[in-house]
Amino acid sequence: MTPGPSRPRPPEQLWLEHYGLIGDLRSAALIGADGSVAWLCLPQLDSPSVFGALLGPGAGFWRLQPADHAGLGTQRYWPGSNVLDTLFSVPGGTVTVTDFMPLGSDALQTDVGHLRLIRRVTVAGQATAVTSDFAPRPGYGQAARLGEEEGGLRFTRGQQSWFLWGSQPHVPDRHAAQAHFTLSPGEEAWFAVAEQPLHLEPEVLAECLADTHRTWTNWLAAGQTRRTLGDHPHRELEQRSALALKLLSAPDGGIVAAATTSLPEVLGGSRNWDYRYCWLRDSTFTAQALHHLGHREEAADLLKWFQRASRRASPRQLKIAYTVAGMPVPPERSLKLAGYRGSRPVHVGNGARNQRQLDVYGEVISAYFDGLRVGQTEMEDAVWQEISGLAGAVCGLWSKPDKGIWEARKPGQHHTYSKLMCWVALDRAVRMGEQCGRTVPPRWKRERGAVRGPFWTKASIPS
C-alpha cells in the first residue's frame, strides 16, 4: 500500500562542489549529491526556473533518494559523457540515481520529442525503499497546480505547463507530490519531465539513455584527433572541461557565460548577477578553448550566431551580451528569494546590458581572424561587411571612456585592457583585409597607430 503524501522538506543548499551539471544544449540542471534537482529552467537556459532550490528553499525541487536517508551520496559522470550518477550507500547495498537530459542520436541534435529530464533509480545488494519528493515551483518559486492525468501528473503555472511521467506513481497533495516504492536488485524505476503528456515505456527511456551517452561520447571522440594541446597527464580533466563547456552551447551557435543566476562573487555578498546570456567576450574565449580541444565547429557556429544577433543594431551600438536567441538581454529585476546561502539580492536580467565595453570589438574581430586563419570562416562579402562595420565603429569610439571588463556600475573611465583590444580590433581587421585582397580604409591604419601611442605612454597596470 502506498503511504499518503506528506509535505516534503526542502533540500539543504549544498556547497557548489556537491552539484553536478547536466544539459541538453537547450537548458541545464544542477543535481545535488542528495539526489535533488536544485536548478532547472525550462524551456531554455534563460527561462524562469521550474526547480530553483539553489536560490531559496521555496523555489522548488525534485529529490530522489533512499527512504529516510540523511547524508550525501557520491557523484560521478559516465566516462566521456554528461550522464550523471549519484550513488547512495545503504545497509546491505547501493542505490544509484542516474540523471540526464536526452539528446538525439545523431550529431548532438535535440530532436527527442518533448522529453526534457529523465531520472532512473537502480539498487544493488538488497531490496531498498526509495522516496521521490516532487515540488515544482515554476516562475522562480511560484506554486504550481498539480493534477493527475492519464499516465502521470500535469503541473501548471499560468501559461506554463509540464508533465511528469513515472513507472512508479506519484500521489499529489496540492502543490507537491510524493512516490514511495521498493526496488529489488535488477529492478528499475524511471521518471521523466516532458513538455506534454506522453505514453512512455521504460524501454523507450532506456533507449534515450543509450542514445544520449553515445552522442556525448561520439562528440568528445570527434575532437580528440584535432586537439592542439599535445600530450599531458591531465587528459581526463581536459575532456571533462570540454564536456562542461559544451553544456553552455546552444544548437544555433550561442554560448552562455553560465547556466545559473545570482551565485555570489563573495558568499553573503550582493554582487550576484544573471550570467545566463551570451557575453561576446566569454563566448569567444569559450569557442577558442573548444577549438583547441578539437571542436572547431563551435567557433564557426558562434560567428554565424553573432552575425544574426548583431544585425539588430548598428556596429556603434554593439551590445556586450545577447540572449541565446540573439535578442537584447532583458532589464534587471530582483526576486523575492533567500539567495544562495543568504546571498541577496537574486537577480534576473542584467543591468549591464547597455554598457559600453570597448574590448568586445577586439574579441569579436579577433574571432573572425582566427576563423579565417584556420579555415573555419571564408571572407565572403557579408563577413567583410561585418568586419568593416566593427572596425569603423572602433575608429570613432576607442578614445572614449567605457565601463571596462568588470562592468562597473559607475561613470566610465579609460581602461588599459579596453584600449589594447581596440588596437587588436584594428590590427586584425587590417591584416585580414590585406591577406584577402580587400580594400582597407586608410583610416584603420591611422587609428591603429593613434591607439598604440597613448597605450605605451599612459596605460598602467596596478601593482
Side-chain angles (χ1 to χ4, degrees), residues 45-46 248-250 252-258 274-284 302 305-306 309 319-327 329 360:
L45 276 165
D46 55 0
L248 301 178
S249 305
D252 65 352
I255 303 175
V256 300
D274 189 354
Y275 287 122
R276 296 173 298 159
Y277 306 110
C278 302
W279 257 255
L280 298 187
R281 178 190 311 110
D282 302 68
S283 297
T284 57
L302 175 65
W305 172 87
F306 171 73
K319 302 295 184 182
I320 63 172
Y322 298 86
T323 68
V324 173
M327 301 297 290
V329 172
V360 298

Side-chain angles (χ1 to χ4, degrees), residues 31-116:
I31 311 297
D34 60 350
S36 293
V37 182
W39 183 256
L40 174 62
C41 298
L42 292 174
Q44 59 190 34
L45 276 165
D46 55 0
S47 300
S49 62
V50 174
F51 303 112
L54 180 74
L55 298 179
F61 65 95
W62 180 12
R63 181 174 49 232
L64 264 174
Q65 63 176 203
D68 302 320
H69 192 278
L72 300 181
T74 301
Q75 293 190 308
R76 67 186 184 194
Y77 286 100
W78 289 22
S81 176
N82 279 317
V83 176
L84 179 69
D85 280 341
T86 305
L87 294 85
F88 298 94
S89 295
V90 296
T94 303
V95 174
T96 301
V97 178
T98 300
D99 286 288
F100 68 101
M101 297 179 71
L103 292 172
S105 59
D106 179 41
L108 286 188
Q109 297 300 307
T110 58
D111 184 15
V112 288
H114 299 276
L115 291 169
R116 299 307 305 271

